[in-house]
Amino acid sequence: MAIWKRNGDIVNIINELASAFVKHKKNSQVIKTSIFMAVLLLGTVVFIMYENSIAELKFALHSFGSHQVEFSEIEPGMEKALRNNKKVKDIGISKFQKITIQGQKGIFVQEERKYWEEKPFTLVSGNYPTEEKEILVEKQYLNNHHLNLGDHLSIHQEDYKIVGVIDPGSYSFEKPYFYSILPSTKTKDVYEGESGINIRIWYKNIRETYQETNRFLSEFSIDPKIAEDTGRLSYNTVLLEHYFVFPGGLIPPKSVIDTWIETSIGFFLLILLFAYMIRNAFQVWNTRDINEIGLLKTSGMTREQIRSMVLRKIYFLSKWPILLGILMSYLLANGLIFIMWLNNKHSYQVFEKLEGQINNSYPLQLISPSIKPILIIFILSMLAITISALGPARKTAKLSPMEALKPYSNQKQKRGRKSLKGKIEINLGKDYLKTYRKTYWGIIVAMTIVIMSFSVLAIHQSWRTLNTKYNTFPSKYNISATIWTKDPLPIEFYQDINKTIKEKKHMYITASAKFYVNDNKGKLSNLFLHGYQNHSFNFDNPYVMVYGLEKDDFYRIGKEHNLELEDSDFLLLNQTPENTVSTPYSQRSYIPMFKEETSEVILRNHIKAPMEEIPIQGMIHTFPYDLEPISSREVSLFTTIESLEHWFEQRRIDEEDSFLYHIAIQTTRNKILEVTNSFKEILNKYIPSSDRTLTNELLQEGMEKEIKRNELFLGIGIQLIFLMIGISNAYSSFHGNLQGRKKEFALLKSVGMTSSQLKKMILYERRQIIVYVFILYILSLIGGILFQCWRKQFIFTPWEVFLHLNFFYLLPVIGGSVLGIWLSIKNGMKEILSENIMDTIREIS
């Protein structure tokens, strides 16, 4: 006993004992497989989630930069205040100047050298500027003026060499941008001439971004909300949310909370599932060492040392499964990404056939090896394994030497009934179900979780099906185009469209403005104000959308409503959904937004802009020609195309503000390609490809199929791992249970119980386990449906979600799980029943 008191030797002895148990213990492969499969699943999810998180962060850094805040219309005093602010780590200056180059107006942007270190653009060719007289030029400008890399441009009588080409994807009518290095950051140099100055801000403590920015703005009497509303102030939201920095401090906005619910909670449940499954398999495996542990206790080994040894056993067991699981999860995650890339490539090949032009899918980007996700997987795996082993370790350590040395290890298990009635094999089966209830419930719960994991995807798909069917605006137009132009479309365009496209069609133009409740409060109906105060519908950031219709369409509306209209008149759609919180689109009822006597609607460009009164000549109560859905955030006005073009020209803020035209065509399905191609020929004649979009029902269906295939590939890949974990857990648990009852089976045989009776007893146990799995699964499925409905505020009933479940997807999964339990038990039963009584007794002895 003295050896257990010499602390210097204890750790080595415990390690040697744990290692010996693992090396010489039979049937450890099953638990190793369970650990490997659990790490494989956990690692795959971690790699994919980590890659998505990094991709979002890279996108934010690439498109916005590493700074937290950007502010425009800067004055020297503001810059000085920021430079003197001890909480500001650094600032970066951007200087914007209007120029005319080769007869074309443009914008010359000069950035500090450190800006170019972040490589803010994706280069088509060439390099970033490294010297003051080097410049980046847009690809479109180069093509229009027949320029190449290495050529020179003259700006402000200075000669600049073209060293790089970018393609910002801008419209053809927009001013080209030219980028170079800011030669001086001295105040007198930066602010000279007519130029706009933007400042990017890096704070020493990123968590103080919102507080310090508000403090800076208040110093110069600037309202943060107005600054954001007018576009003067912008936050690097993706970067800030990546580091859990929110406007409300520690309280994240609703959108972030929803994302966390979808990902984080499920992720931590996955870790708990990992721990639970490993615990069940390890409990059965560890139970077989009870007699040896009893001997160690008689030699003076303490509870703490026994617990430490049991924990070390699972660590020794887990070493290689964890390492192999991390490697295979990395390969599996990349495999899933590769499959989704192939799926996307296939979709674009289909689009090429439909559109008759080359479409490039996104490039294949596999997950790069990184130490951070590997450490996350390793730490979480060890955490889950430790949690899974703590229960068995405590239980083993509590056993007295006499209890541990008894023939069985289940002395403290609750036994079944003492008096047996009916068939003995059934009564014994019931007795064993109670005796080994913890082991069996481990199998039952594990398999239920496995099947339920499939149901989560099925519930999500059911909800999406309902959402598409009942909560989406059902447009009757199966071909549509959007066009951005600096100038109104020519009359020849309309003539060609009407001459070529004979199908039912509508052409219209839109322009938007801000809508403020306080500006129009006296005009709003009591029903609307009641719903607005009770949050029955979403009215956050409302807006006015003005629609310009073709004259024939506009006058047809007037005729239907007995209104005498002129070209410049405006009509108001006086309808808004009564409830959008718990009512799908197809079942909505509508209420008037304005009072019937309302004669004008007030709108603005932004909160500081002057109010503009739009006179109303009449009200309508349905959206004309079913062109658009009725949104609860929108105030819809209607006039003619010519009237809206004139109104837009009068309030145009920037000369590059574009007209936005829409064309909707309704045709039969078998003529979609023919009409699309004819329509495309007209667009090619008048509109550059950069200034338009064109889609049809077939392309939209193709994109939806791609999404569904991605979900299917990702879902099946992860769910198959779940299934293998569950089956291996069932195998190890039940097989280990039968092995632990060898002596009991031998004693039952010795008193005359036949193999047929033993088989019936075990089959009864198997049948009851499957029944319990079904019962628990049904309860968990009901719970999952109720939870989803509760999260979505019961916009659909639980019964509707249940009826739209894909049972053809669920049944094979349930069947596979039941078959796994069936075969696991059958294998163990066959091995037990085939053993000789004397051999079994000698083995136990």
Side-chain angles (χ1 to χ4, degrees), residues 126-180:
N127 301 295
Y128 294 98
T130 56
E131 303 295 335
E132 291 180 8
K133 300 304 178 183
E134 295 179 344
I135 195 169
L136 288 184
V137 181
E138 293 181 4
K139 179 182 177 181
Q140 188 170 272
Y141 182 86
L142 286 182
N143 294 337
N144 291 342
H145 295 272
H146 308 290
L147 296 170
N148 297 294
L149 280 175
D151 290 345
H152 292 257
L153 292 174
S154 177
I155 300 176
H156 296 317
Q157 289 78 48
E158 297 284 349
D159 186 68
Y160 289 85
K161 180 181 179 182
I162 301 173
V163 296
V165 182
I166 60 174
D167 187 7
S170 55
Y171 301 124
S172 63
F173 51 83
E174 289 184 308
K175 296 187 188 78
Y177 277 68
F178 305 86
Y179 297 88
S180 187

Side-chain angles (χ1 to χ4, degrees), residues 365-400:
Q365 294 182 333
L366 297 176
I367 300 172
S368 302
S370 175
I371 191 65
K372 191 172 181 179
I374 292 174
L375 284 175
I376 292 172
I377 297 167
F378 182 79
I379 292 170
L380 292 178
S381 297
M382 293 304 296
L383 175 64
I385 286 170
T386 302
I387 293 171
S388 68
L390 281 175
R394 289 196 189 101
K395 183 178 178 181
T396 304
K398 286 180 181 178
L399 290 175
S400 66

Side-chain angles (χ1 to χ4, degrees), residues 270-330:
L270 177 64
I271 297 174
L272 293 178
L273 172 62
F274 182 166
Y276 186 83
M277 287 184 167
I278 300 302
R279 181 189 185 281
N280 198 42
F282 182 68
Q283 173 71 51
V284 175
W285 184 84
N286 181 67
T287 301
R288 303 179 201 175
D289 296 333
I290 295 298
N291 290 347
E292 290 88 342
I293 290 173
L295 291 172
L296 291 171
K297 283 206 165 195
T298 60
S299 67
M301 202 170 185
T302 65
R303 282 189 178 188
E304 290 73 19
Q305 291 163 349
I306 293 291
R307 185 166 59 247
S308 176
M309 184 186 70
V310 174
L311 288 173
R312 279 173 168 78
K313 282 165 62 177
I314 199 167
Y315 294 149
F316 282 120
L317 274 171
S318 304
K319 179 173 61 176
W320 289 111
I322 288 177
L323 295 177
L324 184 60
I326 291 174
L327 174 62
M328 294 304 296
S329 65
Y330 173 74

Side-chain angles (χ1 to χ4, degrees), residues 454-468 707-713 715 788 801 804-806 809-810:
F454 284 86
S455 300
V456 170
L457 181 59
I459 292 170
H460 172 73
Q461 290 175 336
S462 173
W463 192 271
R464 190 176 63 187
T465 300
L466 285 166
N467 208 55
T468 302
I707 293 172
K708 289 179 179 179
R709 286 196 300 267
N710 278 339
E711 278 188 356
L712 185 63
F713 294 145
Q788 175 72 357
V801 177
H804 283 80
L805 288 172
N806 189 345
Y809 176 72
L810 284 176

Side-chain angles (χ1 to χ4, degrees), residues 535-790:
H535 305 287
S536 298
F537 45 77
N538 176 21
F539 204 64
D540 297 332
N541 194 24
Y543 59 94
V544 174
M545 185 66 74
V546 187
Y547 296 85
L549 306 177
E550 291 184 280
K551 286 185 180 180
D552 289 345
D553 288 340
F554 184 66
Y555 289 133
R556 193 178 300 124
I557 297 171
K559 187 176 181 180
E560 291 172 356
H561 291 80
N562 298 316
L563 298 171
E564 292 291 335
L565 298 176
E566 297 181 0
D567 290 358
S568 59
D569 288 343
F570 286 85
L571 297 176
L572 169 67
L573 175 62
N574 194 22
Q575 290 282 284
T576 194
E578 183 178 16
N579 189 311
T580 61
V581 175
S582 58
T583 306
Y585 188 89
S586 62
Q587 299 172 16
R588 288 178 187 172
S589 56
Y590 295 88
I591 58 174
M593 181 181 291
F594 292 85
K595 296 175 181 178
E596 288 297 324
E597 62 271 18
T598 299
S599 58
E600 74 276 335
V601 171
I602 297 175
L603 53 82
R604 307 181 190 222
N605 278 327
H606 53 80
I607 197 168
K608 281 295 185 180
M611 293 187 294
E612 184 176 357
E613 294 183 0
I614 304 297
I616 304 301
Q617 273 66 44
M619 295 185 180
I620 57 178
H621 303 285
T622 58
F623 205 104
Y625 312 111
D626 290 326
L627 291 173
E628 302 281 350
I630 298 178
S631 168
S632 63
R633 294 177 50 236
E634 178 177 305
V635 177
S636 304
L637 301 176
F638 300 89
T639 185
T640 61
I641 289 178
E642 293 77 8
S643 173
L644 183 52
E645 287 173 342
H646 177 71
W647 179 75
F648 185 84
E649 286 282 12
Q650 286 184 320
R651 64 193 304 274
R652 190 198 293 256
I653 299 173
D654 191 288
E655 60 181 305
E656 288 186 337
D657 288 346
S658 62
F659 293 97
L660 184 56
Y661 291 86
H662 309 268
I663 304 171
I665 302 173
Q666 183 181 4
T667 186
T668 58
R669 188 174 177 86
N670 60 347
K671 292 185 67 177
I672 288 178
L673 285 179
E674 177 188 341
V675 176
T676 299
N677 290 332
S678 299
F679 189 21
K680 188 187 300 180
E681 289 180 6
I682 299 172
L683 291 175
N684 290 339
K685 183 178 177 180
Y686 293 96
I687 311 297
S689 59
S690 60
D691 302 347
R692 69 172 195 254
T693 62
L694 172 62
T695 188
N696 59 41
E697 184 179 310
L698 300 179
L699 292 174
Q700 291 169 349
E701 288 178 357
M703 288 186 284
E704 288 174 4
K705 287 179 181 178
E706 180 188 342
I707 293 172
K708 289 179 179 179
R709 286 196 300 267
N710 278 339
E711 278 188 356
L712 185 63
F713 294 145
L714 189 62
I716 288 179
I718 292 178
Q719 306 303 341
L720 281 177
I721 301 174
F722 264 119
L723 189 58
M724 286 186 282
I725 292 174
I727 291 174
S728 65
N729 180 70
Y731 176 84
S732 62
S733 298
F734 200 89
H735 194 274
N737 175 275
L738 294 179
Q739 291 294 321
R741 291 156 59 186
K742 274 186 177 183
K743 187 171 183 180
E744 296 184 37
F745 287 127
L747 290 173
L748 290 172
K749 285 183 180 181
S750 68
V751 297
M753 195 168 186
T754 65
S755 295
S756 177
Q757 289 175 309
L758 287 173
K759 185 177 180 180
K760 288 180 180 178
M761 178 186 73
I762 298 172
L763 288 177
Y764 173 80
E765 296 176 37
R766 176 176 66 183
R767 184 170 63 251
Q768 291 303 111
I769 290 173
I770 293 174
V771 169
Y772 291 145
V773 166
F774 269 111
I775 293 173
L776 200 57
Y777 168 65
I778 290 171
L779 292 175
S780 60
L781 178 63
I782 292 171
I785 291 174
L786 289 173
F787 178 73
Q788 175 72 357
C789 292
W790 172 76

Side-chain angles (χ1 to χ4, degrees), residues 423-473:
K423 293 183 179 181
I424 187 171
E425 58 268 23
I426 301 301
N427 282 286
L428 283 172
K430 293 178 180 178
D431 186 73
Y432 280 123
L433 280 172
K434 290 185 177 181
T435 302
Y436 297 98
R437 66 188 184 282
K438 288 186 178 180
T439 299
Y440 289 145
W441 271 108
I443 299 173
I444 293 166
V445 173
M447 292 309 300
T448 301
I449 293 173
V450 168
I451 302 173
M452 189 57 203
S453 67
F454 284 86
S455 300
V456 170
L457 181 59
I459 292 170
H460 172 73
Q461 290 175 336
S462 173
W463 192 271
R464 190 176 63 187
T465 300
L466 285 166
N467 208 55
T468 302
K469 190 174 181 180
Y470 299 109
N471 198 35
T472 304
F473 171 65

